[in-house]
Amino acid sequence: MNVINHLSYNKEHGFRGLGDLYLPENPGPATKAALLIHGGGWSALDKSSFAGVALYLCQDLGMAVYNINYRLCGQVPWPACGDDCLEAGKFFLNAAIPEFQGFDRRCILIVGASAGGHLALMTGLRLPPERVAGIVSISGIADVRADYAASPDRYEYLLGHSPTEEDLKEISPATYLSRNSPPILCTHDYHDNVVPIESAKKFLEAARAEGLSAEEFFYTMEESGYSHRIWIPDSTPHKLYPCLEERLAAFIRRVM
C-alpha cells in the first residue's frame, strides 16, 4: 500500500482543503475508488480520525481511497463544509493529476460517519448520479429533523443562527433524493446516544418512498457509554467493529 498525504483539492483552505490518497499495491483499471468524510459534529476532528476506515478499504478491499478534511463550522458556518465535500468529490472524479491516474474513477463510493455520514449523503446526492456507485452513512445524521429534535444546539453552531424550516430543508439529505439517486446504506446502533437511530429510520423511509435501493444495518453493541458504538475500543487508528466492516464490504461488492 502507498499513501500520498496532504493532496490538496482546494489550496485556499490550507489544511482543511487537504486529503490523503491511499493506493493498494499495483492499482489498475479494475481498482475501484472511494471518497471518505470524517465525523465530529461538523465542528471537530480531521481526516486522521477516519484513517482506520481508509486502511480497511485500501488494504482489505483493494480500493483507492481519498480521505478528506473540510472546513469546520467553528471556522465558517454552513454551507462551507458541505461545499467543501462536494468540491472534493468533483475533484476526485475529474481532476487530471498524476496521482489520480491508473484506477477507476468513473463511478465512486462515498462513505462518512456521524456528521460525516450527513456530508456523505449530501455529497453523493448532489453529484451526478451516474458517477456515484453508492453512499454509506455510518451512524450518520441522515434525517436532520429527527436529530435536531434531540440536539438543537449543534444546528445553531452549524448555521451560526437558530435554524428556520427552510434551513432544515436545505441541509436535509432527503431534499436531494430522486428516483435516479444511487444505492444507499445506513448503519446505526439501536442505542446510539449521539445521533438517534430515528434519524436513519426517517431518512430510509424517504428513500424507499422514492423507490430507491436503501439498505439498513441496525445492531446493538454490548458496550455502554456515550458513543456511536462503531469503533473497537483502544484501536489506533480507530477501527470499525468487524460486523460493520463485513456489512460495508457486502454493500461494496453489490454496488461496485
Side-chain angles (χ1 to χ4, degrees):
M1 186 187 71
N2 180 36
V3 182
I4 303 173
N5 290 310
H6 307 321
L7 187 61
S8 178
Y9 66 88
N10 188 320
K11 292 185 177 5
E12 293 182 2
H13 300 331
F15 176 71
R16 288 292 160 186
L18 301 177
D20 297 335
L21 180 66
Y22 294 70
L23 295 172
E25 294 293 332
N26 302 314
T31 301
K32 304 302 183 182
L35 177 76
L36 266 57
I37 305 174
H38 72 83
W42 304 294
S43 63
L45 304 180
D46 58 46
K47 54 189 170 62
S48 65
S49 67
F50 222 40
V53 180
L55 287 168
Y56 171 68
L57 293 181
C58 184
Q59 290 183 323
D60 291 58
L61 302 187
M63 301 183 73
V65 178
Y66 190 43
N67 182 29
I68 64 165
N69 287 334
Y70 50 85
R71 287 173 293 172
L72 303 178
C73 61
Q75 301 170 308
V76 58
W78 181 271
C81 59
D83 289 348
D84 290 353
C85 294
L86 189 59
E87 180 181 6
K90 293 177 180 177
F91 177 76
F92 192 39
L93 284 167
N94 301 317
I97 61 174
E99 293 88 346
F100 287 171
Q101 307 309 308
F103 57 91
D104 186 359
R105 289 183 292 147
R106 291 173 298 175
C107 194
I108 65 172
L109 182 76
I110 303 177
V111 183
S114 191
H118 169 264
L119 293 169
L121 291 166
M122 290 292 289
T123 302
L125 293 172
R126 292 189 293 168
L127 287 169
E130 69 276 9
R131 304 295 305 276
V132 180
I135 309 168
V136 179
S137 170
I138 303 169
S139 301
I141 300 170
D143 181 272
V144 297
R145 288 175 177 83
D147 186 62
Y148 174 66
S151 303
D153 289 351
R154 63 174 161 231
Y155 289 84
E156 294 189 13
Y157 198 56
L158 172 66
L159 295 163
H161 59 264
S162 295
T164 64
E165 182 59 30
E166 189 60 31
D167 289 329
L168 293 176
K169 180 179 179 181
E170 179 189 339
I171 65 175
S172 174
T175 300
Y176 305 92
L177 289 168
S178 75
R179 292 195 174 273
N180 296 319
S181 295
I184 295 164
L185 169 65
C186 292
T187 78
H188 223 99
D189 187 286
Y190 280 106
H191 302 293
D192 187 319
N193 46 28
V194 180
V195 176
I197 196 171
E198 287 75 14
S199 181
K201 290 180 175 180
K202 292 288 187 183
F203 174 77
L204 288 167
E205 288 175 9
R208 289 165 180 158
E210 291 285 347
L212 298 174
S213 171
E215 303 177 20
E216 65 187 54
F217 179 64
F218 297 157
Y219 59 95
T220 300
M221 286 296 169
E222 293 182 358
E223 69 165 281
S224 61
Y226 186 78
S227 71
H228 291 299
R229 298 175 174 87
I230 62 176
W231 305 115
I232 296 174
D234 301 320
S235 55
T236 304
H238 289 319
K239 184 175 174 61
L240 294 172
Y241 282 108
C243 65
L244 288 171
E245 290 186 340
E246 291 165 8
R247 191 63 189 81
L248 181 55
F251 179 75
I252 293 170
R253 285 193 296 268
R254 190 179 73 75
V255 302
M256 302 192 81

